Amino acid sequence: MAFDLNDLKDYCYHDGTITELNYFGFRGEFPEDETERSGLVGFYYYFEPHISRVIPQRFYECKFCDIISFDIEPKDGGYDVKLCAEGIFGDMKREFFCAEFHCELVSCMLYKYFGMSYKNLYSPQRVKQAEKYIADEYFKSEETFDLGRGHTLVCKKYAYEEYKNHRLTGCFNVGKYTLKRDGEDIYGFICSDDHFGGRGFDIIEHSSGHRYLWYHTDLYGISFVDIDTLQAYSYIPEGLQHDYRSELGESFIITDVHYDRSTDLVAYGGCRWAGPGEVFVGDLKAPLAFDPVLTDLRAFADPDNELCCDLDFVRWENDAVVIINSDEHKECRITIDEIRKLREQKKP
């Protein structure tokens, strides 16, 4: 996020803690009194040129640093920065440093929570805002998909891009979908951020005997509708920690769904934004009471997270799921017991 002086002036950083110093900037936690007052728990500051040139290298080995003072003032089209802190090392030795430098750019993110929030931010109003883009002037394409047993899904795409001085300044991709049974309209929905190049929907034959269409109303999250009762549930996670002025943080983008009737487990293929392909596993006993806690299978295929390879779903077996490292064409078999054990360990 762009830096505003109020990001600094409106909050107390004294007695806060720097939990991570890196090449670009630092991440930290506000003092308890500030968290109680403002509801903010942490921050991240990024500088250009980077701060590694002004903070002694040994302080990057600190367990953490206590902030004594932190100030930023505009000057000469950039900023003068002064950070004074006391580093606490592994042997609990303390050492003071004071870094003063000029930089051209400051960015700041202020957090209301750390980690992942599973809070559901879906609302009909959120999707309704996209309806204004469903107009002939934005129409791009129409395609009909056969979903079997007399069901088809008609997809109409609407898109727009705006450029100024050869730079993209605005865009949208909206999809309007109509589910038909034997040619008759039975259900419709809108995807307000329709960047799915493939088929981001399909019908699941559930162990309960019900049939569900999974689909998207947004880039993030997932929706289900019982195609016989037309009861529906939509989910968009609040996501990973993000600047409190942004509505959503990053979360896993689901592109394909592979349900196993014998276990009621489901493998989701997809990725994080601009990241490699991933496979997550979740519980799908009750699609209309969707369990959003998903288990990342990279822990089995790439436990040290060193390969940065694309992972893809291959198949369910009687007692396991098989995924593949698509870069090396190497399969990895993970038993149901292993998945359940890991899911139990990582429950929030």
Side-chain angles (χ1 to χ4, degrees):
M1 296 287 290
F3 173 68
D4 186 303
L5 278 176
N6 291 329
D7 296 339
L8 193 70
K9 306 298 184 185
D10 288 353
Y11 307 105
C12 175
Y13 292 80
H14 174 66
D15 283 342
T17 303
I18 295 175
T19 56
E20 178 193 345
L21 272 171
N22 58 44
Y23 181 80
F24 306 101
F26 57 84
R27 193 182 308 275
E29 298 176 5
F30 282 107
E32 290 183 8
D33 289 348
E34 181 56 52
T35 296
E36 290 177 8
R37 186 188 72 84
S38 66
L40 298 178
V41 299
F43 51 84
Y44 178 67
Y45 276 86
Y46 169 94
F47 306 93
E48 287 186 11
H50 304 139
I51 65 170
S52 59
R53 62 198 167 90
V54 295
I55 294 181
Q57 191 65 36
R58 63 185 180 279
F59 285 97
Y60 289 85
E61 300 171 6
C62 287
K63 292 181 67 175
F64 56 88
C65 296
D66 288 334
I67 298 173
I68 297 170
S69 64
F70 178 39
D71 193 34
I72 300 175
E73 295 291 344
K75 186 175 181 181
D76 299 333
Y79 299 93
D80 280 348
V81 181
K82 184 176 182 180
L83 171 66
C84 296
E86 187 175 36
I88 291 85
F89 293 82
D91 57 3
M92 299 310 292
K93 175 185 174 183
R94 294 174 173 265
E95 189 174 342
F96 172 84
F97 74 86
C98 190
E100 296 186 61
F101 59 96
H102 182 82
C103 64
E104 297 173 4
L105 174 69
V106 179
S107 294
C108 169
M109 298 184 75
L110 303 176
Y111 306 124
K112 282 197 169 183
Y113 63 88
F114 292 119
M116 177 73 181
S117 168
Y118 295 98
K119 180 180 178 182
N120 189 359
L121 294 189
Y122 171 81
S123 70
Q125 291 74 23
R126 178 184 176 86
V127 176
K128 194 171 181 63
Q129 293 173 2
E131 289 183 359
K132 62 185 177 184
Y133 300 121
I134 298 174
D136 291 343
E137 60 186 303
Y138 304 130
F139 178 78
K140 295 298 179 184
S141 65
E142 178 176 335
E143 191 171 1
T144 299
F145 297 88
D146 185 357
L147 302 181
R149 296 174 66 174
H151 292 91
T152 57
L153 191 66
V154 179
C155 169
K156 293 182 179 181
K157 299 276 190 176
Y158 301 82
Y160 173 74
E161 292 183 348
E162 181 178 286
Y163 292 86
K164 290 183 180 179
N165 298 323
H166 305 290
R167 296 182 65 181
L168 181 65
T169 56
C171 66
F172 64 81
N173 288 272
V174 172
K176 182 181 180 182
Y177 295 82
T178 304
L179 178 64
K180 296 175 178 283
R181 179 186 293 133
D182 298 326
E184 298 293 325
D185 296 358
I186 63 169
Y187 187 73
F189 61 90
I190 291 171
C191 182
S192 61
D193 194 352
D194 199 353
H195 283 83
F196 299 95
R199 181 165 154 164
F201 48 82
D202 208 348
I203 290 178
I204 290 172
E205 302 278 349
H206 197 266
S207 64
S208 64
H210 289 253
R211 293 175 296 168
Y212 297 93
L213 173 73
W214 68 267
Y215 61 94
H216 292 281
T217 63
D218 191 274
L219 181 65
Y220 299 114
I222 194 168
S223 298
F224 295 92
V225 60
D226 184 320
I227 63 174
D228 297 311
T229 68
L230 300 184
Q231 289 180 287
Y233 178 79
S234 291
Y235 174 74
I236 300 174
E238 188 174 19
L240 289 171
Q241 63 193 50
H242 56 281
D243 188 89
Y244 79 100
R245 291 156 291 197
S246 298
E247 183 184 15
L248 296 175
E250 294 292 331
S251 60
F252 183 60
I253 301 168
I254 296 170
T255 59
D256 46 282
V257 175
H258 310 276
Y259 170 68
D260 181 47
R261 287 173 61 101
S262 65
T263 61
D264 280 331
L265 291 175
V266 58
Y268 298 103
C271 65
R272 296 180 177 90
W273 184 258
E278 306 280 2
V279 181
F280 282 63
V281 167
D283 189 300
L284 202 64
K285 286 188 181 70
L288 300 187
F290 174 68
D291 180 357
V293 181
L294 307 182
T295 301
D296 187 353
L297 296 189
R298 186 170 289 275
F300 297 97
D302 182 15
D304 298 322
N305 201 23
E306 293 179 343
L307 302 178
C308 199
C309 56
D310 285 315
L311 301 179
D312 291 295
F313 173 85
V314 178
R315 63 186 176 274
W316 285 103
E317 296 183 346
N318 289 336
D319 62 345
V321 64
V322 179
I323 63 176
I324 189 169
N325 173 341
S326 296
D327 296 348
E328 298 179 357
H329 304 287
K330 182 179 179 181
E331 289 191 354
C332 176
R333 187 177 186 274
I334 305 145
T335 68
I336 302 299
D337 287 343
E338 288 176 311
I339 292 171
R340 293 197 189 281
K341 188 179 296 185
L342 184 60
R343 283 183 59 75
E344 190 63 32
Q345 291 172 356
K346 297 198 173 183
K347 279 185 178 178

